[in-house]
């Protein structure tokens, strides 16, 4: 094998020129592209992690809001149940009071009718007594005097 020093030196110089040329024009651009792509991937991963955390927080917040909404709904239903029960009790009490008033009025009406009937009965008894006593005595006594005597008699007897 025959080595030629000039060929070796020329090959080394060519290699160094090619290396400098590639380093200057190609390696830097490739390195920048790789760094940029690496940064993009890192940013995408960071954004994904950030979005995942945000989604997790939103899910927790939505679950809390849902639980609060359910609790508020339950409270509203309980409130309306309480109001409905109170309204029912008020209506029931009012109806009971009105029924008592009607019963009292009816009792008073019955009492008045009873007193009225008693008065009419007294008058009829007095009239009958006057007629009977007139026929029995067969004499003409003043009718006013007769009525007064009979009413006194009835009062004393307790009719």
């Amino acid at each position: 094998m025959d080595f030629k020093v000039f060929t070796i030196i020329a090959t080394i110089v060519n290699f160094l020129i090619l290396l400098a040329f590639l380093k200057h024009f190609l390696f830097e651009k490739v390195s920048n592209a790789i760094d940029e792509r690496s940064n993009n991937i890192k940013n995408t991963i960071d954004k994904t992690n950030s979005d995942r955390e945000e989604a997790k927080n939103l899910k927790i917040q939505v679950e809390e809001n849902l639980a609060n909404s359910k609790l508020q709904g339950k409270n509203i239903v309980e409130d309306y149940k309480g109001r409905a029960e109170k309204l029912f009790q008020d209506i029931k009490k009012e109806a009971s009071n009105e029924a008592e008033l009607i019963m009292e009025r009816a009792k008073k009406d019955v009492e008045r009718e009873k007193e009225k009937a008693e008065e009419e009965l007294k008058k009829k008894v007095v009239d009958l007594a006057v007629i009977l006593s007139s026929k029995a005595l067969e004499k003409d006594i003043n009718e006013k005097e007769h009525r007064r005597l009979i009413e006194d008699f009835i009062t004393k007897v307790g009719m």
Side-chain angles (χ1 to χ4, degrees):
M1 269 209 269
D2 196 11
F3 288 106
K4 292 192 180 181
V5 177
F6 179 73
T7 306
I8 293 178
I9 292 176
T11 304
I12 291 175
V13 169
N14 279 338
F15 180 74
L16 289 176
I17 291 173
L18 181 62
L19 186 64
F21 178 77
L22 289 176
K23 187 177 179 185
H24 180 66
F25 290 108
L26 189 62
F27 287 148
E28 205 171 304
K29 289 182 181 182
V30 170
S31 179
N32 287 341
I34 291 173
D35 287 344
E36 185 178 326
R37 181 71 178 140
S38 176
N39 286 336
N40 284 342
I41 291 171
K42 183 180 176 189
N43 289 339
T44 303
I45 290 172
D46 289 344
K47 176 119 175 74
T48 303
N49 288 337
S50 172
D51 290 346
R52 183 179 299 142
E53 284 298 315
E54 187 177 341
K56 193 183 215 181
N57 291 337
L58 286 174
K59 180 182 175 189
I60 291 170
Q61 187 177 10
V62 166
E63 288 173 352
E64 288 175 358
N65 288 343
L66 181 62
N68 287 339
S69 296
K70 285 181 181 179
L71 182 61
Q72 286 177 347
K74 185 178 178 183
N75 289 340
I76 288 170
V77 168
E78 290 298 321
D79 183 44
Y80 279 113
K81 278 184 184 177
R83 286 182 186 181
E85 182 65 29
K86 184 179 182 300
L87 183 61
F88 172 74
Q89 293 299 331
D90 290 346
I91 290 171
K92 186 177 171 184
K93 184 177 179 181
E94 187 177 317
S96 176
N97 289 342
E98 194 165 324
E100 285 180 26
L101 286 174
I102 290 171
M103 289 296 290
E104 285 180 30
R105 281 189 219 134
K107 285 180 183 178
K108 286 179 183 178
D109 287 345
V110 167
E111 189 64 34
R112 267 189 251 126
E113 289 297 320
K114 180 182 168 187
E115 288 173 4
K116 191 176 179 184
E118 285 177 355
E119 284 296 318
E120 282 184 37
L121 186 61
K122 281 182 186 179
K123 285 181 183 179
K124 286 184 181 184
V125 168
V126 168
D127 288 342
L128 284 175
V130 167
I131 292 171
L132 286 175
S133 64
S134 297
K135 286 186 179 182
L137 291 177
E138 293 212 349
K139 81 183 200 185
D140 199 13
I141 302 177
N142 184 355
E143 191 178 325
K144 282 187 180 178
E145 184 63 28
H146 235 272
R147 284 189 186 278
R148 187 187 62 75
L149 288 172
I150 292 172
E151 285 177 3
D152 284 344
F153 171 75
I154 291 173
T155 305
K156 287 178 185 174
V157 172
M159 242 182 120

